[in-house]
Amino acid sequence: MATVLMCRRFPRLSRVPAFSTTAKRKAEHGSSKSKKEKQEKPGAAKTGMESGVTIQLLKPQDYRVLYNPAAYVGGRAGSQQHVDRDSSQALGDTFTSPGTMQMFPTASSQALSPIRNALPKPRPSTLQEQTSLYREEAEKENREVHDSKEDPRMFQKGRPEYRSLSCDSAEPAQTLPAEQGDSILQSVAGCEGSPGVLLDCFLKLSRLPAERRAALASDRRFSALCRRAVRAIRLLSTPDLIQILKACVPLAVPASHPLLDACEAEFCRRAWDMSLEQLLLVADCWRCLDRSVPSYLGILFSYANLHWKDLTLPQFVQLLYIIGEGRRSPADLAQKVESTILKHLDAFTLEELGAICLGLFKSLGGISDHVMRRIADRVSLQMEDMSTYALVNVLKMLRYTRMDHLPLMRELGKVIPARIPATNIQGIMHITLTYSSLHFFDEDVLAAVATSLPSKVSYCRSKDAAKFLWSFGCLDYEPPNEEEFYSSLIKQLHAKLHEFRKFPEHLLTALLGLAFVKRFPEELIDFALREEFVQKTRGSKYELNKDLFTLGKSIEIECPTYSGSCLSPQLCEELTEMATSFAEQEIYVRPEIVEATSLLESMLGGPEYVKNHMILPHTRSSDLEVRLATDGHPIPFNFKDPVAAKKLKEMGVSLTDDLMSQLLQGRAHNQSPTEVGNEARIPRPEGEAAAGAPCLGRALAAGAKSQAEPKPGCWQPQEVRLALQVSNRNHFCYGSRRLLGLHCLKRRQLRLLGYVVVEIPFWEWFPLLKRSRSEKLSYLHYKVFCPALLTRA
C-alpha cells in the first residue's frame, strides 16, 4: 500500500536531456575534465554514471524515527551540546500546521507543554483529512529538538556575572510539592494590598512542578492573584517587581496577559531610576516571555548610550544579545559597538564572540570589514575549540558582510565536515548557505552535507529545503548521491507546499536551484507559474519578478514537452523591458564590455557586425553577438540598433604597422592601403591569402545594406552565431574557474538555441585591458576566428 501511495505522489521530474547529467557535462565541456581543470575545479569530476530516480517508501504508521541528533556539538571533544535557534523567527518564518491551535505564543520547538497537549483535536471526517493529520503528526514527532529561547544563551554559562543579568528559566532548584499549590492559591484572598504576600505567592507558585504550573492558566484563583498584583503594582519596590516578572517565566504567563501589560508600563516609568544591571535583567525576562517591548528597549538603548563607558564586558555582550533578540539596531550605538568589540576582542570567550555575531546578524546591524576581519582572524585560530552553534553564528555575520576570509574558510573546511552528522538541520543550512553566498566551493563540506541530509530531510522547513537546493545549484555541484539527495528534497517540497503560499520566495529559490543543475519538477513548476501564485509573489517583501522570469523562460527552452502553467506574454514583455533597462544602465556600460564592443566593431567593420545586448534577458547578463558565414566572414546584422547606427557614422579606424603584422599575416605586398584597411576590418579565414583567394572585404561591405535582418529565432542558411561572454569574477566560484549555476544555465541554454558560446574570461581579458590596442585586437581576433569554433558549429 505504501508503495502505491508513494508512486502516485512522486513528482514528475524533467531532466534535460534523457541521458545522464555526467555524460552531458562531459559532452558540453569536452576537455574540462583534464587534470589541470580538475585542479582548478576541485570536486568537479564525478565517478560513475547517474543512477535512476530513487523512490522512497512512506513510513508506515507504526514506525517512528527516534533519531535526535545533538545539534551543534561543541568543540573537539563534543562533550557540550549546543542546539540551534531559527534566526529568522522574528521575520515570520515559523509555521503552524493547519488545524492546530496555540494558546501561548511561545516559539520553542521543544515538546509541547501539557496545556497544549491537552487541547482537543478535531476528529478527521475524510480519508484525505486523516492522511493530512497523520502527516502533520509525523512532522511533529520527527522535528529536531532545539529550544529557540535557550540555545542562543549558552554564552551566559561561561561567566558568573551573567546570573545577575539574565533570567534562568530552568527548573527551580527546590521544587515544592504539587499539593501546596491549592494552599498557596487559597491565601490569595488575604493578600489584598500586601506587596510582600503577593511576591511570596508568585515565588512559591513558580517553584511548583511543571504539570501543576501548567494547570494554573485555567485556575480562576491564579487570575485573581494576577489582578491584585496589577492593582498593587505601584506599591511594589523595583527589586520585588523584577522578582514577580522573573516568576512569570516558569509560570508561562502568556505574552499578552494584562499583568505583563502593567509590568511593562511600570518598568518604562521607572527605567531611568534603575541600574543598567536591572534594565538588562528585565529585558532578558521579556525575551524569555516572548513579549515584544519596543518602547522599553528604546529606553534601555538610550540609557546604555549615556552610560556606555560604565559597561562591563558581560553587560556589553548581554546588551548585544538583547539588541539581536529585539531585531533593532540603534544607529547611534554602531560606532561604540565596534570600538568595544576591538577593545575586548582577546578577552571574549568563543561563545561570547558567537553571541555578538548573532546579535549583529539578527538586528541587521552593520559592522565594518576591519572589525569582522579581526573577529574572523581569531576564530580561524581557535575554531576546533569553538562550539558549532557559536561558529555558525560567526558564519552568519561573515555571510552578511560578504567577507572573503580565506584562513577561516580553509580552516572551516578541515573542521566542519566531521561535525555535520551531529549538527542540527538549520545549522547545516546556514553552513551550506555561507559557502554559496560567498561563492566558495569546498567539495568535502558539500559532500558531507549531501550524505547527511536525506536521513534528516523530514526536519527541513520550506526555507531549509529551498536554501539547500539553491546552494548546491548556485555552486553547480551534484554530489555522489545526487539522485537520493535531490529526490528527498523534492519530496519535502511537496510536503511543505502549504507553506509556500505564505512564503512564495522559498519555492522560487528552490526551483531556481534545481534549474541550475538541469532538474525541473514539473508539478511544482506548474504550481509556481499559476496566476494565483504569481499574484502572491507580488505581495512578498522580496523582489521576485527576476526569479519568476528566469524560471519561466528556462522551462520554455529546456523542457519543450512541458504543458503546465506559463507566465503571461504581457508579464514576460514587462520583465524583459525591466531587465533591458537595468542592463543599459548597469551592464552594457561596464568598461570591460565597452572596450570589447568597440574593438570588435573596429575589427569586423562597424557597429552593424556586433550587438551588445542580452540574448537571454532572463539570465541577467549581457552578450556580444557576432554572426559569421560558414567560410568565416562576418555578417552584418545590427541595423536596428540606434547606438550602432550612430557609431557607424562616426566610425574611423587607426591602423598601425604592428596591428597589420598581427592581424594580416601573409598579405600580398602589392595591396593598397585601402585594401589593407578593409582586410583589417573583416579578417579572412586562415590560409585564404596563401591560396590566392580574392579579398572579400569590399564585396561584403558593398552588399551589407541589401541583407535583411532575420526574424528573431530564425536562422539564416550557412550562418554561425557567436555569443561572446565577457565574464567577471562574480560569474565564478571564489578564486577558481568554476562557473556559478546561473551562468552554467545561461551557456547551456544559449547552446540549446544554436549559439556557439565563446568565453572571454576575466583572467585573460582584464590584464589585457592595460595592454596595447593591437594586443587586445589580436586576442579578440583569435577568439572570434578560431578555426575550432567553426568546425564545431
Side-chain angles (χ1 to χ4, degrees):
M1 179 64 182
T3 304
V4 174
L5 286 174
M6 187 58 224
C7 290
R8 187 168 54 207
R9 291 182 61 253
F10 195 82
R12 182 181 177 191
L13 183 67
S14 291
R15 292 297 305 272
V16 184
F19 57 88
S20 75
T21 303
T22 306
K24 171 158 186 176
R25 190 156 303 188
K26 288 181 179 179
E28 287 180 349
H29 295 294
S31 63
S32 64
K33 297 300 179 184
S34 66
K35 292 182 179 179
K36 179 180 179 181
E37 186 69 10
K38 288 178 182 177
Q39 291 173 355
E40 292 169 346
K41 297 170 56 175
K46 300 186 296 185
T47 58
M49 295 296 288
E50 176 182 287
S51 62
V53 174
T54 301
I55 298 180
Q56 298 178 345
L57 301 182
L58 288 174
K59 286 174 285 190
Q61 294 190 10
D62 59 347
Y63 178 78
R64 296 186 180 184
V65 176
L66 301 178
Y67 178 67
N68 178 23
Y72 300 131
V73 174
R76 194 170 1 187
S79 58
Q80 179 116 25
Q81 293 183 359
H82 297 275
V83 284
D84 181 36
R85 157 164 174 77
D86 176 14
S87 64
S88 302
Q89 185 179 15
L91 300 176
D93 204 4
T94 52
F95 311 105
T96 305
S97 299
T100 61
M101 275 178 60
Q102 290 193 355
M103 294 186 66
F104 301 145
T106 305
S108 172
S109 58
Q110 281 182 313
L112 298 178
S113 67
I115 293 180
R116 295 184 192 176
N117 287 334
L119 291 174
K121 297 176 182 175
R123 188 184 185 88
S125 58
T126 67
L127 179 60
Q128 184 178 4
E129 290 178 0
Q130 289 175 355
T131 304
S132 176
L133 184 62
Y134 164 68
R135 185 185 303 164
E136 293 165 14
E137 292 299 323
E139 287 179 2
K140 289 179 184 178
E141 290 172 3
N142 292 339
R143 192 172 296 146
E144 287 181 312
V145 178
H146 56 276
D147 190 329
S148 62
K149 293 193 297 297
E150 286 302 313
D151 301 338
R153 303 159 64 85
M154 295 305 298
F155 71 93
Q156 295 172 349
K157 312 298 182 185
R159 298 181 192 268
E161 294 92 331
Y162 287 112
R163 294 173 188 168
S164 60
L165 302 174
S166 58
C167 175
D168 186 0
S169 59
E171 285 293 314
Q174 296 180 342
T175 304
L176 296 176
E179 310 83 63
Q180 288 195 22
D182 288 329
S183 61
I184 296 170
L185 292 171
Q186 290 294 344
S187 65
V188 171
C191 69
E192 185 73 41
S194 174
V197 177
L198 281 171
L199 175 61
D200 188 60
C201 286
F202 275 99
L203 293 178
K204 288 180 178 179
L205 291 174
S206 69
R207 293 169 55 195
L208 292 173
E211 297 80 7
R212 186 67 184 89
R213 295 199 309 268
L216 293 175
S218 57
D219 195 312
R220 289 178 294 177
R221 294 170 297 179
F222 180 71
S223 298
L225 174 64
C226 292
R227 288 194 296 270
R228 291 181 182 181
V230 171
R231 290 195 293 268
I233 202 164
R234 292 290 181 94
L235 303 176
L236 291 163
S237 67
T238 297
D240 287 350
L241 186 58
I242 292 174
Q243 289 301 311
I244 287 180
L245 186 65
K246 286 182 66 175
C248 288
V249 175
L251 290 171
V253 176
S256 59
H257 198 283
L259 174 60
L260 299 187
D261 293 340
C263 286
E264 181 185 356
E266 188 63 18
F267 279 121
C268 286
R269 189 181 69 84
R270 301 185 188 190
W272 292 103
D273 296 323
M274 296 165 61
S275 68
L276 183 57
E277 183 178 272
Q278 290 175 322
L279 289 169
L280 289 170
L281 174 57
V282 170
D284 201 62
C285 291
W286 293 131
R287 169 64 196 125
C288 293
L289 289 163
D290 275 338
R291 182 179 172 93
S292 176
V293 286
S295 297
Y296 178 84
L297 292 182
I299 297 172
L300 168 62
F301 300 151
S302 297
Y303 187 104
N305 194 26
L306 289 175
H307 298 82
W308 193 262
K309 294 182 179 180
D310 300 329
L311 259 69
T312 64
L313 185 151
Q315 288 175 343
F316 170 73
V317 178
Q318 182 71 13
L319 177 64
L320 277 187
Y321 165 72
I322 295 299
I323 287 174
E325 297 307 304
R327 268 57 174 193
R328 292 186 58 191
S329 179
D332 53 348
L333 294 183
Q335 189 60 44
K336 293 180 178 180
V337 166
E338 289 204 1
S339 60
T340 306
I341 291 174
L342 293 176
K343 175 183 176 182
H344 297 295
L345 185 60
D346 294 330
F348 291 128
T349 66
L350 295 171
E351 298 305 305
E352 286 172 333
L353 275 180
I356 289 169
C357 287
L358 184 61
L360 292 171
F361 178 79
K362 286 184 176 182
S363 64
L364 300 180
I367 185 173
S368 68
D369 286 354
H370 173 66
V371 175
M372 190 65 235
R373 193 167 294 279
R374 290 286 304 279
I375 293 174
D377 286 342
R378 185 177 169 203
V379 169
S380 63
L381 295 175
Q382 297 178 281
M383 190 178 295
E384 289 191 2
D385 301 321
M386 195 173 196
S387 75
T388 309
Y389 180 78
L391 178 56
V392 167
N393 292 337
V394 174
L395 295 182
K396 290 177 182 178
M397 202 59 200
L398 197 75
R399 188 175 85 223
Y400 180 74
T401 56
R402 308 290 297 179
M403 174 65 66
D404 55 336
H405 196 282
L406 280 178
L408 186 145
M409 297 303 293
R410 287 171 178 161
E411 187 66 19
L412 186 66
K414 299 175 185 176
V415 171
I416 210 65
R419 298 191 188 187
I420 292 293
T423 301
N424 175 282
I425 198 69
Q426 292 178 26
I428 300 175
M429 181 272 287
H430 281 294
I431 292 168
T432 311
L433 189 58
T434 298
Y435 278 89
S436 64
S437 297
L438 299 179
H439 298 170
F440 200 95
F441 180 81
D442 188 313
E443 186 178 21
D444 290 341
V445 174
L446 295 177
V449 170
T451 301
S452 297
L453 193 63
S455 64
K456 300 183 177 187
V457 76
S458 61
Y459 303 140
C460 284
R461 304 163 299 168
S462 59
K463 175 182 178 179
D464 300 323
K467 298 299 186 184
F468 281 124
L469 289 170
W470 167 265
S471 297
F472 276 67
C474 175
L475 296 173
D476 190 39
Y477 178 65
E478 295 190 76
N481 64 332
E482 58 180 281
E483 291 302 338
E484 180 189 21
F485 175 80
Y486 283 110
S487 63
S488 65
L489 281 170
I490 291 172
K491 178 181 173 183
Q492 186 69 358
L493 294 181
H494 279 267
K496 297 292 183 181
L497 203 60
H498 60 281
E499 296 179 3
F500 295 127
R501 292 184 171 90
K502 186 174 182 181
F503 302 100
E505 62 272 11
H506 297 331
L507 180 57
L508 293 180
T509 295
L511 293 177
L512 278 181
L514 286 166
F516 292 162
V517 292
K518 295 175 282 189
R519 292 175 183 266
F520 298 90
E522 295 189 3
E523 293 176 15
L524 292 172
I525 291 173
D526 174 64
F527 180 84
L529 297 183
R530 291 175 191 170
E531 183 61 30
E532 175 189 1
F533 188 85
V534 171
Q535 290 303 320
K536 287 185 180 297
T537 65
R538 301 296 178 95
S540 172
K541 60 186 177 182
Y542 302 101
E543 171 52 55
L544 302 179
N545 283 332
K546 293 187 295 184
D547 294 345
L548 272 173
F549 193 31
T550 302
L551 180 64
K553 285 297 182 182
S554 292
I555 198 167
E556 283 183 21
I557 297 171
E558 301 207 46
C559 299
T561 61
Y562 171 76
S563 58
S565 303
C566 298
L567 297 179
S568 67
Q570 295 82 1
L571 180 58
C572 288
E573 184 178 351
E574 174 188 334
L575 297 177
T576 299
E577 291 177 358
M578 289 174 56
T580 303
S581 176
F582 172 79
E584 289 173 348
Q585 299 176 33
E586 301 292 337
I587 300 178
Y588 300 159
V589 296
R590 290 175 181 167
E592 67 272 18
I593 295 176
V594 171
E595 181 79 352
T597 305
S598 174
L599 290 167
L600 284 169
E601 290 173 355
S602 299
M603 184 178 75
L604 298 176
E608 68 270 28
Y609 291 91
V610 186
K611 188 170 185 179
N612 178 10
H613 68 133
M614 290 189 292
I615 299 173
L616 302 177
H618 63 278
T619 60
R620 314 168 199 174
S621 56
S622 70
D623 313 270
L624 298 180
E625 184 174 353
V626 173
R627 300 183 188 178
L628 302 177
T630 53
D631 61 1
H633 283 71
I635 300 173
F637 68 98
N638 186 25
F639 301 113
K640 295 183 179 179
D641 188 347
V643 176
K646 180 181 178 182
K647 287 183 179 179
L648 183 60
K649 295 179 181 179
E650 303 171 355
M651 192 66 193
V653 182
S654 299
L655 301 174
T656 65
D657 291 337
D658 185 43
L659 177 59
M660 294 299 98
S661 64
Q662 292 188 57
L663 296 183
L664 304 174
Q665 293 179 8
R667 65 181 175 87
H669 292 286
N670 59 353
Q671 287 178 300
S672 68
T674 305
E675 291 173 334
V676 171
N678 284 330
E679 283 198 14
R681 288 169 176 246
I682 307 171
R684 295 176 293 180
E686 283 190 11
E688 182 179 311
C695 175
L696 297 179
R698 292 183 296 279
L700 278 172
K705 299 288 185 183
S706 64
Q707 294 194 20
E709 169 72 0
K711 294 181 180 179
C714 296
W715 295 100
Q716 294 297 299
Q718 298 184 336
E719 179 181 89
V720 179
R721 294 193 179 188
L722 306 183
L724 281 75
Q725 309 297 302
V726 183
S727 65
N728 61 57
R729 288 174 176 82
N730 291 333
H731 295 177
F732 296 84
C733 292
Y734 183 89
S736 78
R737 299 179 182 181
R738 184 187 187 92
L739 270 175
L740 295 172
L742 176 62
H743 302 285
C744 289
L745 172 143
K746 174 186 176 178
R747 285 151 177 74
R748 186 172 72 237
Q749 292 179 3
L750 285 170
R751 293 186 184 101
L752 286 171
L753 293 177
Y755 284 88
V756 176
V757 177
V758 179
E759 291 288 348
I760 303 180
F762 72 89
W763 59 85
E764 294 176 354
W765 183 238
F766 280 35
L768 275 173
L769 293 177
K770 301 176 182 178
R771 307 294 290 271
S772 68
R773 176 182 173 85
S774 60
E775 288 176 286
K776 289 180 279 192
L777 281 168
S778 179
Y779 173 82
L780 293 175
H781 179 272
Y782 168 77
K783 285 290 184 179
V784 172
F785 296 102
C786 176
L789 290 178
L790 294 175
T791 302
R792 281 210 308 269

